[in-house]
Every structure is written in C-alpha cells, then in structure tokens.
Amino acid sequence: MSDHTDSSVGSNGAADGPIDVPPEYRQDETVEDHKTVRQRLVEGLLADKLALFGAVVVVAFVLVAVFAPVVAPHDPEATFGFMKEPNSYTTGDFDGDAATERVWHPLGTDSFGHDVLSRIIYGARVSLLVALATVAVAFTVGTTIGLLAGFYGGWIDSVLMRYVDFQWAFPELILGVGIIAISGGLGVTNVVIAIGIAYIDDFARLVRGEVLSLREEEYVTAARAIGMSDRRIMTREILPNAVAPLIVQATLMIPLAVLAEAGLSFLGLGVKPTTPTWGLLLSDGRQFIGQAWWISVMPGFAIMLTVLAFNTLGDGLRDIFDVNDGEVESR
Amino acid sequence: MRRYVAKRVAHAAFVMWLVATTVFFGLRLIPGGPVRTMLGQEATPEAVAALRAELGLNRPVYVQYVDWLTDMLLFDFGQSLSTGQSVTTLVSQAAPKTLSVGVLAIVIGLAVAIPTGIVSATRKGEPVDYVATISAFLGVSMPAFFVGILLALLFGVWLNLLPVFGYTPPSEGVVPWLKSILLPGIAVGLPYAAVVMRMMRSSLLEVLNEPYMRTARAKGVSSRIVLYKHALQNALIPVVTVAGIQLALVLVGSVTVELVFGIQGLGRLLVDSMLDRNYPVTQAVILIVAAVMVFTNLAVDLVYTVIDPRIGYGGGQ
C-alpha cells in the first residue's frame, strides 16, 4: 500500500490542489489506464510464470484431446505385449502386412496389452469433456438461480439459500453417488448431471453475491428508469459485470470436476467400464500395482498434471482480474 | 450466546430433516422402484404385490414417511437386501475403520499444514516458502486415492515396510492397528494438509500486514509473542472454517482410499451396496455421511463463537 503515487494521469489535477499541503503529502488522483480484457489476460499471463505454465498445459491437453486420433500412437483398443514396461518395444505384425515391426510403448502397456499412452490420450477426451460439460451445467443452472435470487430476493432467495444449506450436507462425491443411485445406471450423461448438480450451489452463491452488490449501482437504476425489462437488466447490465469472478470460478471448478469424475470412476460408479477415462484407467491398474505400477501411475500423473494446470491458471486469472480471494470457492 | 447455539442446532436439525426427506423421496424415484429391482424384471404382478405388502409399500405415502422417519431417528435402517443382516450392524462394523483413517488423516493433515503455513508466511519469498507453496499446489492436484497408490507402491511394494492391504482392529494391538491405517491416513491427510496450509499461509500473511501488528512490534513485544499470540489468534479463524468445511475432503478421501488398501469401511459398503442395488444400505451410508457433514458444520460454527468473540450473540445470520 503506497500512499504516495506518481502518475502522469491527473498530474495537472494536483497542481490545482490546495497549496498549503506539503508536496510529499499531495496525493495525485490515479486513474488506471483502461485495458481490454485481452490485454490484461496476455500481460498478466506473461508476468505470472505459474499461470503461464497452467495455460500452456491446459491448451496442450485440450489440443491432444481434440486431435486424439492423430496424436495417439496406436488405437486404444489395439493389443500388444502384456504389461510391457515404459519405454519398451513389442515386435510383431500389427498392421496386417505380413512383415513384423517394432512398436514403441513410451508409457508401457496394460494387462490387456493396450498401449498406455494411447489410452491416456483417448481418456483425455472423456475426462476433459465430462469436466467441461459438468461445469457448463453447473454454470448455466447456478448462474440463473443466483441471478433470480439476488435480483428478486424474497421467497426465491429463501428457497435458494435453503437449497444451498441442503447441499452443504453432502460432499460432492457422495451427492454424485446419490444422484447416480436415483438416475440408475452408469454413463457419461449421468456423471455429468450428478457432478453438475453438485456444483450448482457454488455458482449460485457467487452470482447471488455479485448481484446483491451490483443491483444498487447507478447504471442499474438508470436502466430501470428508462423502462428496461427485468430480464434485460439482468442479462445485459448485471451479468456482464460479474463475468470476471465467474470466469475464475469456472476455471477453478474444472479441476474439481476432473477430480470428482476420476473419483466416481475409480469407485466404479462413473462412466461405463468400457469408456476409458483417467479414473477408470487408474482403477483398472490398481490390482497390478505389484507387477506393473505404470498402469495406474501414468493416468494418475495425467490427472495430476491437468488439475495442477487448471489450478495455477485459475489462481493466475484470479490475480489478473483482481477477484477477491473470498469471492470464489476453491479448494 | 445460548440463543445463537439453539438457533444453530435447530438449523442443523432442519437441514438433516431436509436431507432425510430427500433420500426418502429419492428412493421412490428410482425407475421401477426397489421392489422391481429386488425381484427382477420378470416378476409376476402377484409377487410384486406380495413384496410391496410385506415391505409396507402399499400403505399411504405419508404413513410410510412417518414410519420411516421414526425408524431413522431410532437408528433402525432396516435389513440388507442381500444378506438380511441389520444395516445398523453392517454400518457399525464398517464405520470404525473409516473413522480411524479419517481421524488419523485429520491429525496428520493439521500437523503438517499449520506449521508449514506459518513458516511459509513468515518467510515469504524465501526458498522454503517456494517449496511449501509448490508442494501445496501439487497436494491439491492429487486425488487421495492416487496418493494412496503411490504410497502403497513406495512403502509396500518397493520398500516393503508397511502393510498395504487390510485393516487390523485396535483390539489386536495398537501398533499393528496404526501400521494398517498409517498409509491410508497419510494418503487422505496430504491433500487435506495442502488445502489447509494454503489457507493458513494467506490468512497469516494478511494478518501480518495489519496495523496492529506494527503497533505490537513498536511497543516492544517480542517477535515470538507477536506471532503466536497476536497474529495467530486472528489468522486461525478462517483456517478453522476451511479445516471444517474440507472435512468433506477427508470423508470422500477415506471412502476412495479404502478401496486402494482393501479396508472394508463405509466406502466399500457404499460401493458394494450401489452395485447390488441394496438400497437400505446405500441410504444408511448416505444419511450417515450427511449427518457427519451437518454436525461438522455445526461444530465449526460453534467453535467460531469461542475463538472469535465478534461473532454470534446477537443471532448472527
């Protein structure tokens, strides 16, 4: 906290100030240069090494997931030698041309002979997709509830707050398990719904808080005065001003969703056993930990790296957008 | 003060009632209902009707609801559909195992987090702070079951120092018991420690910047007393909240880590009952976990009034 700032902006304002104030106590009015969101993002990321690392890894993982068929060295269902160590080779005819070739397994093969790296790459698709879809569900529903509750108050607000209390009683994973029990059956959609519902309250609470402070702003009063509809005030005046904490919150929720999906799949209550997600791959390798540690450990590192990247990126974004620490929920 | 406590207790009871009611109606939303699941799709309508009568499902819903709620209050969770054992027995066999792991995890977690957070905050920017911060980042990024697998691999398979499978009850000796829960406890405790440590660090840093810290130093209070008496007292308040809220992490961690170490605790019970569609067991475990959470939140709020005299009394929020 410096109480004496020099700035080119507003320097002539100081000259007009009272002359009896000694120069060292003269306070210039500082106006921060306006920067577009993109400028702030780029400059902020370049200045914060950890966040930059996060951003790079996130982008890399997303690209790998999108282009999985191109990036993966093998078909995830193709089988080679069983439980080959990382950085080993299988020799044999795998492309059906009668000639034998040597196939490299940088991360080894699993108990069925699947190439671990290829499975992790295809697993990235499901894991990231589930995480993004989950956060999208929570974001949409939570933001809507939060907007309505904050804007109208009254009984809508009371119902929301009771719901939030209710959800506090459940750790996300247990709530997810309960929802899966009710929805019956495993599968990507059920997992997305289960974890998505579990995160609604985080967004709802955040948006409600933002709306409560924003709805008293003069521009909202002005919008009301010119006869804007409530709906338009909410979506055009209030929501855009709450976007920074929402972005940060969403970025910090993605790793939690990745972890929750991995947890559910690890318990065998997530996606169907035939869908390769990181949690499931890790769980599959558990029984072979004594003979072939890499089957479990490699997907575990994939989870860890992704979660770490999203966390560092989210923390960086929080600093860049200057969002209060208490405003967004994170682990 | 007394009014505040009464209000919080009433609120906790209300939430618990809401949870129980949701579970009750949730069970009735299951496609086909428990009877269909128990008898299979080919069951004759007569068999379905007979079982419905036996389970009391043909009575009016409000009668069933009141009965069910009374049973829950008396800790009567019914019988397991697969073995016919009372669910209360099953739960009371499993719960101590999960509890042992969870309590050890909390002890380990706090023992690691609080000193590390203090050191990290008081030596901000020094190498030790970087190491601690990065370790904490890694810690929040690892699911407990993955830490468990790494520990099992390192200490069980490679070093062969500790058992990696099963649970030894304390009745067979404290040392074997501790040995059997040490690795699971660390696996659950480390991610928890990472979260609490981050909070400890940022909270203490904030307090150290407060003007009253400068005042304390200026009037010649020794740096040790400044830190432990003046700073920590206030810095610990948000830490208590986080440590309480994140008990969910411990609970979920214990549930998943049990599977890694082959401990037949609540997690195993929950997963097995889900896969068998053994609803009475699933419902009991979910209710117990929710009750623990509600009770923890209540306890955190009450501890708050003790460590932070500014809160409470008037009724708060």
Side-chain angles (χ1 to χ4, degrees):
Chain A
M1 280 276 162
S2 83
D3 40 10
H4 176 84
T5 29
D6 277 319
S7 164
S8 55
V9 185
S11 54
N12 49 353
D16 301 332
I19 36 161
D20 53 343
V21 177
E24 63 267 34
Y25 290 113
R26 260 183 222 156
Q27 238 174 305
D28 292 348
E29 217 176 291
T30 54
V31 177
E32 238 181 79
D33 287 339
H34 175 73
K35 287 179 186 165
T36 63
V37 171
R38 191 182 302 163
Q39 270 176 328
R40 277 165 73 183
L41 210 60
V42 171
E43 285 172 20
L45 282 182
L46 287 178
D48 183 347
K49 291 284 174 297
L50 264 179
L52 186 64
F53 156 81
V56 170
V57 175
V58 165
V59 170
F61 265 101
V62 170
L63 287 179
V64 164
V66 171
F67 296 105
V70 184
V71 183
H74 308 289
D75 182 338
E77 302 301 330
T79 50
F80 304 94
F82 302 130
M83 297 198 202
K84 290 275 184 186
E85 279 182 27
N87 196 18
S88 64
Y89 296 87
T90 316
T91 317
D93 172 23
F94 300 113
D95 49 11
D97 62 354
T100 57
E101 57 271 316
R102 228 164 148 241
V103 178
W104 181 44
H105 305 297
L107 302 183
T109 65
D110 68 9
S111 58
F112 296 101
H114 298 135
D115 182 65
V116 171
L117 177 63
S118 306
R119 283 184 83 75
I120 291 178
I121 289 176
Y122 274 89
R125 286 191 139 180
V126 191
S127 291
L128 288 182
L129 192 71
V130 168
L132 291 177
T134 304
V135 173
V137 167
F139 182 96
T140 317
V141 182
T143 306
T144 313
I145 297 180
L147 262 180
L148 293 175
F151 195 78
Y152 290 113
W155 67 268
I156 303 182
D157 197 27
S158 309
V159 171
L160 168 81
M161 290 329 280
R162 290 295 81 75
Y163 172 72
V164 168
D165 288 341
F166 162 75
Q167 220 177 306
W168 263 54
F170 292 105
E172 274 92 7
L173 197 66
I174 300 297
L175 186 61
V177 167
I179 294 168
I180 287 193
I182 292 171
S183 64
L186 314 175
V188 172
T189 321
N190 283 348
V191 172
V192 168
I193 295 174
I195 309 176
I197 290 180
Y199 291 136
I200 287 176
D201 66 324
D202 296 279
F203 284 101
R205 239 180 315 166
L206 169 71
V207 173
R208 176 180 174 268
E210 292 293 314
V211 174
L212 284 183
S213 64
L214 289 174
R215 72 173 182 191
E216 307 303 333
E217 293 278 339
E218 278 158 13
Y219 59 80
V220 175
T221 318
R224 262 190 235 272
I226 61 167
M228 257 194 207
S229 70
D230 285 355
R231 188 199 160 114
R232 207 163 155 207
I233 294 175
M234 278 188 266
T235 54
R236 293 294 162 85
E237 303 292 332
I238 295 183
L239 201 54
N241 284 294
V243 86
L246 271 172
I247 292 177
V248 175
Q249 176 82 67
T251 314
L252 290 170
M253 292 313 275
I254 292 174
L256 292 184
V258 170
L259 288 175
E261 185 275 324
L264 273 180
S265 295
F266 180 77
L267 291 175
L269 303 174
V271 296
K272 292 201 175 71
T274 45
T275 322
T277 72
W278 291 335
L280 212 58
L281 294 176
L282 200 158
S283 164
D284 285 345
R286 190 160 43 95
Q287 49 185 315
F288 305 109
I289 191 83
Q291 305 106 291
W293 54 268
W294 53 92
I295 306 179
S296 292
V297 172
M298 294 304 179
F301 279 125
I303 297 175
M304 193 183 108
L305 196 58
T306 313
V307 172
L308 183 67
F310 273 107
N311 274 336
T312 51
L313 178 62
D315 266 21
L317 290 180
R318 177 156 53 194
D319 296 342
I320 292 168
F321 290 126
D322 204 13
V323 176
N324 191 335
D325 220 5
E327 226 170 331
V328 290
E329 296 275 324
S330 73
R331 254 177 60 173
Chain B
M1 179 72 189
R2 197 170 291 167
R3 247 185 80 191
Y4 175 73
V5 172
K7 207 173 154 182
R8 283 297 295 122
V9 171
H11 182 251
F14 168 76
V15 172
M16 210 45 233
W17 166 78
L18 206 60
V19 167
T21 307
T22 314
V23 169
F24 175 82
F25 288 105
L27 275 179
R28 271 140 195 86
L29 280 179
I30 292 168
V35 173
R36 275 273 171 225
T37 330
M38 281 160 72
L39 293 175
Q41 291 303 318
E42 276 90 57
T44 59
E46 292 79 46
V48 170
L51 187 62
R52 282 180 66 87
E54 192 192 323
L55 294 175
L57 292 173
N58 53 354
R59 295 173 302 158
V61 171
Y62 68 90
V63 177
Q64 291 183 37
Y65 176 66
V66 171
D67 267 9
W68 182 85
L69 216 54
T70 324
D71 284 349
M72 292 300 118
L73 283 176
L74 299 171
F75 295 104
D76 177 3
F77 298 107
Q79 266 112 41
S80 160
L81 297 182
S82 54
T83 61
Q85 273 177 292
S86 113
V87 175
T88 314
T89 316
L90 286 175
V91 167
S92 56
Q93 282 165 359
K97 302 171 189 171
T98 306
L99 200 66
S100 309
V101 174
V103 169
L104 184 66
I106 295 169
V107 171
I108 293 175
L110 294 180
V112 171
I114 302 215
T116 320
I118 294 173
V119 169
S120 189
T122 47
R123 303 195 182 173
K124 183 171 184 265
E126 290 178 32
V128 59
D129 176 35
Y130 284 117
V131 173
T133 312
I134 289 173
S135 312
F137 246 131
L138 286 176
V140 295
S141 304
M142 283 205 268
F145 53 85
F146 181 51
V147 182
I149 285 184
L150 291 180
L151 290 173
L153 188 64
L154 184 63
F155 291 100
V157 179
W158 288 344
L159 298 176
N160 210 359
L161 282 177
L162 287 162
V164 292
F165 199 85
Y167 170 81
T168 317
S171 55
E172 289 176 30
V174 173
V175 174
W177 171 67
L178 271 180
K179 270 185 162 176
S180 75
I181 59 169
L182 185 59
L183 289 182
I186 298 175
V188 179
L190 284 186
Y192 179 65
V195 181
V196 178
M197 179 259 160
R198 278 162 55 109
M199 193 69 216
M200 182 74 241
R201 177 177 183 273
S202 66
S203 160
L204 186 55
L205 276 178
E206 205 166 292
V207 170
L208 288 176
N209 275 330
E210 296 279 331
Y212 78 83
M213 295 306 297
R214 198 169 48 190
T215 313
R217 268 186 235 110
K219 71 176 188 185
V221 179
S222 81
S223 60
R224 178 175 290 263
I225 292 177
V226 166
L227 179 64
Y228 288 100
K229 185 144 179 280
H230 298 251
L232 267 186
Q233 210 168 22
N234 282 317
L236 272 175
I237 293 169
V239 176
V240 169
T241 321
V242 167
I245 293 173
Q246 294 295 343
L247 283 184
L249 196 65
V250 172
L251 212 53
V252 167
S254 313
V255 163
T256 49
V257 163
E258 278 170 14
L259 268 74
V260 176
F261 292 97
I263 295 172
Q264 307 285 323
L266 286 178
R268 187 80 256 176
L269 199 60
L270 179 67
V271 172
D272 288 349
S273 72
M274 285 269 303
L275 296 177
D276 294 348
R277 302 190 170 250
N278 196 343
Y279 296 115
V281 179
T282 311
Q283 128 189 328
V285 176
I286 289 182
L287 278 177
I288 287 168
V289 169
V292 171
M293 289 306 298
V294 170
F295 182 77
T296 311
N297 284 337
L298 176 66
V300 168
D301 277 2
L302 296 184
V303 168
Y304 239 65
T305 59
V306 178
I307 59 174
D308 189 352
R310 288 171 301 188
I311 305 172
Y313 307 147
Q317 30 164 270

